[in-house]
Amino acid sequence: MVAQSQKSKSELTVGVLALQGAFSSHEAVLNKIGVSSRQVRTPQDLEVVDALVMPGGESTTMSQLLESANLFEPINARIKNRMPVFGTCAGMILLAKTIIDGRDDQLSFNAIDIDVQRNAYGRQIDSFEAEIEIGALTGSFHGVFIRAPRIVSFGSSVTALAYCGDDVVLAQQDKVLVASFHPELANDIRLHELFLEGV
Ligand code: GLN
């Protein structure tokens, strides 16, 4: 029997959760890499994607929209089935085990063992930029932090892939990758490529 081969990059369809937030910049990066992307707004959209990017935006709003679009449960089931997923900023909050300073009714997928605090970098510096060293990449990556969440603790199954100061800002657990910054705004395809290596 011929072993089932992995899909090649050109055969992949990467979904971008498109309920709210910075989804179109993620699509632009994916298209630059040469993979087809698909905006995910319905359970039907989700069915045809091989992986999913959850963008930055407003996690409380996204949580509500995930419920009203009947997307929370199907996405949850796909994640539990090891669909690769990349959450950035608000997307990271949606994937976290615990949300600190969230709304009481805010949902998360509990897909990575991190505790994240929303808007944790304080008012004066709610947005800032920093060069980040990512072990798997050569040369630094420009990190754009916009009212960013902070990973305040993480479990032993989580790998810290990059730090900014003392904070982990890029982390991975199995097929789940999260960044507290906005890699889609850096004019740099390398982090999306890194994610796609795991797809
Ligand atoms: N502060 C936002 C939230 O809590 C996240 C900000 C962002 O995604 N840029 O959802």
Side-chain angles (χ1 to χ4, degrees), residues 17-21 23 40-43 57-73 75 94 103 105-107 109:
L17 186 65
L19 299 174
Q20 191 264 339
F23 55 87
V40 173
R41 293 200 171 86
T42 66
E58 183 50 53
S59 59
T60 52
T61 309
M62 278 191 219
S63 166
Q64 288 172 332
L65 294 173
L66 280 166
E67 283 195 284
S68 58
N70 292 319
L71 266 173
F72 189 85
E73 279 313 324
I75 290 177
L94 289 175
R103 265 176 46 158
D105 60 351
Q106 184 170 357
L107 299 175
F109 291 105

Side-chain angles (χ1 to χ4, degrees), residues 43-158:
Q44 292 71 33
D45 295 328
L46 181 70
E47 276 170 21
V48 299
V49 304
D50 300 295
L52 185 65
V53 176
M54 294 190 184
E58 183 50 53
S59 59
T60 52
T61 309
M62 278 191 219
S63 166
Q64 288 172 332
L65 294 173
L66 280 166
E67 283 195 284
S68 58
N70 292 319
L71 266 173
F72 189 85
E73 279 313 324
I75 290 177
N76 195 33
R78 288 289 307 270
I79 293 174
K80 303 286 136 58
N81 231 350
R82 300 190 69 235
M83 171 181 67
V85 54
F86 184 17
T88 63
C89 206
M92 173 172 98
I93 298 172
L94 289 175
L95 289 166
K97 184 185 77 178
T98 310
I99 303 171
I100 298 160
D101 294 339
R103 265 176 46 158
D104 289 348
D105 60 351
Q106 184 170 357
L107 299 175
S108 77
F109 291 105
N110 188 8
I112 178 165
D113 187 6
I114 55 173
D115 300 337
V116 298
Q117 186 176 9
R118 294 180 58 227
N119 306 324
Y121 287 94
R123 262 208 194 122
Q124 297 96 318
I125 50 161
D126 11 48
S127 299
F128 62 98
E129 303 189 10
E131 296 309 312
I132 298 164
E133 303 302 327
I134 300 174
L137 307 179
T138 312
S140 60
F141 193 96
H142 189 66
V144 179
F145 294 80
I146 305 172
R147 302 190 71 225
R150 174 183 261 146
I151 298 176
V152 293
S153 60
F154 57 97
S156 56
S157 46
V158 175

Side-chain angles (χ1 to χ4, degrees), residues 4-23:
Q4 202 191 346
S5 58
Q6 260 192 308
K7 283 188 182 180
S8 70
K9 203 169 78 172
S10 61
E11 294 168 323
L12 288 177
T13 303
V14 177
V16 181
L17 186 65
L19 299 174
Q20 191 264 339
F23 55 87

